[in-house]
């Protein structure tokens, strides 16, 4: 009889592949307990990199290939519902433009997914509170990424490093 237990791997959908999305992508790919299932963005949209104009989907595809993660699917944001219907997706990371956070958060929670969202979760305190109410109602965690750069301890260390 084997005493070895299989470690649980969390299937993750990453919404947004811009600056914050790339940071979270690196965290996901470096965590052996996570498997990136989807990148949700606007694959046909273009982005300028240096003197080149590239499709977002091509950039994402290149990064996935660079890290041998081609199994992750690239999906347009308009098809987010299909991502949420995939039973292998356990959690959603929201790193899209700010005005879309609430939309992605609520849809993911209602679909029974855990959610980690860049700040702010919503446009105002009432809508943010409602997102947390939805999370409580569906018994799923909702985490907000928030850098504590104004925390007194952090500020003290920052001052010491600068001096």
């Amino acid at each position: 009889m084997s005493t070895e237990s299989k470690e649980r791997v969390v299937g993750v959908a990453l919404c947004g592949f811009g600056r914050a999305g790339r940071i979270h992508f690196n965290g996901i790919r470096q965590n052996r307990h996570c498997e990136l299932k989807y990148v949700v963005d606007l694959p046909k949209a273009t982005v300028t990199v240096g003197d080149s104009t590239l499709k977002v989907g091509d950039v994402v595809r290149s990064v996935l290939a660079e890290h041998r993660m081609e199994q992750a699917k690239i999906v347009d944001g308009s098809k987010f519902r299909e991502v949420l219907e995939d039973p292998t997706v356990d959690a959603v990371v929201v790193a899209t433009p700010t005005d879309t956070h609430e939309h992605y958060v609520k849809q993911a929670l209602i679909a029974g997914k855990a959610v980690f969202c860049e700040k702010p979760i919503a446009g105002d305190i009432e809508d943010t509170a409602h997102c947390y109410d939805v999370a409580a109602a569906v018994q799923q965690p909702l985490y907000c990424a928030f850098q504590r750069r104004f925390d007194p301890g952090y500020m003290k260390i920052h001052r010491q490093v600068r001096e």
Side-chain angles (χ1 to χ4, degrees), residues 9-161:
V9 175
V10 176
V12 179
L14 172 62
C15 298
F17 206 74
R19 184 190 56 78
R22 288 289 294 270
I23 291 168
H24 294 301
F25 167 79
N26 285 322
I28 293 164
R29 77 176 179 79
Q30 293 172 5
N31 187 328
R32 66 189 171 126
H33 298 288
C34 292
E35 180 181 354
L36 184 64
K37 298 288 187 174
Y38 294 90
V39 174
V40 179
D41 208 307
L42 301 172
K44 294 181 181 176
T46 58
V47 62
T48 302
V49 179
D51 294 333
S52 302
T53 300
L54 307 168
K55 286 188 177 178
V56 171
D58 293 339
V59 172
V60 174
R61 203 168 289 104
S62 173
V63 172
L64 291 174
E66 176 184 339
H67 296 288
R68 297 187 178 124
M69 298 174 71
E70 296 94 334
Q71 82 287 348
K73 297 175 185 168
I74 304 167
V75 177
D76 189 274
S78 65
K79 299 186 191 250
F80 187 49
R81 172 67 40 209
E82 294 172 22
V83 172
L84 297 176
E85 291 171 355
D86 183 335
T88 68
V89 174
D90 304 298
V92 174
V93 175
V94 179
T96 56
T98 299
D99 63 342
T100 65
H101 289 183
E102 182 181 2
H103 166 79
Y104 283 106
V105 166
K106 285 182 179 176
Q107 282 194 48
L109 288 170
I110 290 167
K113 311 302 180 183
V115 178
F116 179 89
C117 183
E118 272 297 321
K119 67 173 173 48
I121 288 176
D124 59 43
I125 192 72
E126 292 82 14
D127 290 337
T128 300
H130 185 256
C131 288
Y132 279 100
D133 291 343
V134 171
V138 299
Q139 299 181 347
Q140 286 294 333
L142 169 57
Y143 297 103
C144 179
F146 191 78
Q147 211 286 343
R148 296 174 52 187
R149 66 179 161 250
F150 298 109
D151 178 271
Y154 181 87
M155 290 176 71
K156 180 180 176 183
I157 292 169
H158 181 64
R159 277 193 303 275
Q160 289 174 341
V161 169

